[in-house]
Amino acid sequence: MSFKGEYQQASLEQRLPDNEVLCNLSPRNCKIKDGQTGFCGVRGNRDGRLVTYTYGKGVHLTEELIETEAIYHFAPGARILSLGNIGCNLNCQYCQNWKTSQAKFVEDKDVHSFTPESIIETALRHNIRVLSWTYNDPVVWHEFVIDTAKLAKEAGIYNLYKSACFITEEALDELLPHIDIFSVSIKAIDEAYYRKLTTGWLQPVLDATKKIYQAGKHLEVSNLMITDISDNEQSARNMAGWVLENLGPEVPLHFVRFHPEYRMRETVRTPIDRLEKAQVIAREMGLKHVYLGNVANTKATSSFCNYCGAELVHRFGLSAHLESLKDDGSCASCSKEAHFSALDLNDSISETSSRKPSDEFIRHTYEWRGDITSVHVQVKNPSSQTAALYYRAGKEELYLWTEVMMQPGESYRFILAKSNPNEIGLEIAMPETMTSNLFEVFDRAHFPTISVEEGVSENDRTALPKFEGKQIPDKLKLSLAELNP
Ligand code: SF4
């Protein structure tokens, strides 16, 4: 059955003559006729009322690490419960989650049902203290996000919102009281770029980001640098300059590596030297915390004290280890402010277990390949008993097992990431009664829908499934300078 089988009243509705409605959730302000849907495909008009088709419907919930969301200065290394919806109010030509973000491509097998209560119960049972609204942009999941975020707060759980923030001021006003952490993706400080490559426009994004900052929320900004389009020095200067002028030098900025995807498969990953140049430029301009994303084995992802140079947090890929930080977020070597918070959440990092899997357990192994340094493991415990599965970073006995407890009937998905250059793979052990699938994650905040059992991409740069439609025309593959002379 299509996810549109059930629906409920949506907020931010404006009723119009002739049974039409206007949606005030995103700046598109779609005017929708009876029986039709808006641009996002997940909100529509039923009998003259604005409805949402996706309340409580999304992709499989997934345990990840907070670094997945380009959040480096709030609880480094903390585990999060990632919640992704279906549909989006943008249609970026390079979307890595196009299979679930564009409503017309969504398949029933990828849609799961939740209630706010079931999400909180899962988070608490797995000792997770941060919910992350992520993958497809959470804007179009507005009502469900707010209802769940309210319950999460009551349970002492933080809410993280990873978004392109193409949202109206009215909707943001409703959201702000419930969200603690914002990871905002600004694509470029360029109106032409937004119009041509995202189908949205720039000013609402900038207005929303400023408002989030002024509200005193934890905010980090990321900028995906698209090969030969937005990976030039001027683009980096524009981005850093806007953050400096409108937010402040202490707001972290992440320059993120792109992989070919969706309508932009016929290109290459962003050259790392261009990302490194952007980092140098932004630091020289005065930003204090500038990082690279979607790169693993480099110092450019770790945090260093701006005063004494001590390494504060060591990162490799998605893993983070606190090195020299005091509990108050200052540098342990020189006591200067380093702008970190919620360091106490590190007690939620997975504990390795002294317990081991039974010799009778089924073993699965995976070896890292190229740029793929993390996988999602999706496990189902169909039995009527609580059961444990185990994983470790390799077959050798020097690696300790980590235990994951599964409720009867539970389906759980979690990320495993390479945490140092010497690890060559991982091993999972589970009872014969459990079933599992493994999904290669190409970049952070990527939600793969094809498991390795169903097929493996021919390279480590472009995920399955392959988009069969047209690639963007060459005339759109213009540098920013050409787009905006
Ligand atoms: S949320 Fe959907 S229906 Fe509402 S204005 Fe945006 S694209 Fe249109």
Side-chain angles (χ1 to χ4, degrees), residues 354-404:
S354 56
R355 289 199 274 173
K356 293 179 175 178
S358 150
D359 289 343
E360 281 152 29
F361 277 20
I362 305 287
R363 310 273 172 142
H364 299 282
T365 56
Y366 175 82
E367 288 193 4
W368 303 119
R369 60 178 184 125
D371 285 346
I372 299 171
T373 54
S374 59
V375 291
H376 283 173
V377 183
Q378 189 170 312
V379 189
K380 176 125 192 184
N381 174 22
S383 78
S384 55
Q385 308 286 322
T386 298
L389 69 97
Y390 298 81
Y391 63 83
R392 63 180 179 180
K395 280 183 165 181
E396 298 80 8
E397 289 307 315
L398 65 106
Y399 294 113
L400 294 175
W401 291 100
T402 298
E403 185 181 67
V404 180

Side-chain angles (χ1 to χ4, degrees), residues 73-84:
H73 281 249
F74 190 100
R79 294 183 300 133
I80 59 174
L81 192 62
S82 291
L83 305 156

Side-chain angles (χ1 to χ4, degrees), residues 22-32 37-44 50 88-90 139-140 166 168:
L22 194 99
C23 175
N24 284 318
L25 174 53
S26 84
R28 289 188 193 283
N29 291 121
C30 294
K31 194 175 164 193
I32 313 170
T37 54
F39 176 94
C40 58
V42 294
R43 293 165 82 81
L50 182 67
C88 188
N89 57 339
L90 294 171
V139 166
V140 296
F166 189 56
T168 61

Side-chain angles (χ1 to χ4, degrees), residues 60-63 376-378 411-415 439 447-448:
H60 202 292
L61 49 74
T62 308
E63 176 188 314
H376 283 173
V377 183
Q378 189 170 312
S411 179
Y412 197 57
R413 183 159 165 152
F414 55 94
I415 199 166
F439 300 78
F447 185 88

Side-chain angles (χ1 to χ4, degrees), residues 8 34 38 139 255 283 437:
Q8 69 180 61
D34 194 3
V139 166
F255 289 113
R283 283 187 176 151
N437 292 103

Side-chain angles (χ1 to χ4, degrees), residues 116-165:
E117 291 78 11
S118 73
I119 287 172
I120 304 305
E121 187 273 330
T122 302
L124 291 175
R125 188 159 40 77
H126 287 278
N127 192 24
I128 294 175
R129 304 269 302 281
V130 181
L131 294 188
S132 179
W133 303 94
T134 182
Y135 304 133
N136 304 352
D137 205 292
V139 166
V140 296
W141 223 12
H142 191 68
E143 295 82 3
F144 188 68
V145 171
I146 289 178
D147 286 354
T148 311
K150 280 182 192 165
L151 272 191
K153 254 190 189 304
E154 286 168 22
I157 295 173
Y158 291 98
N159 285 285
L160 188 165
Y161 197 81
K162 186 174 195 325
S163 174
C165 278

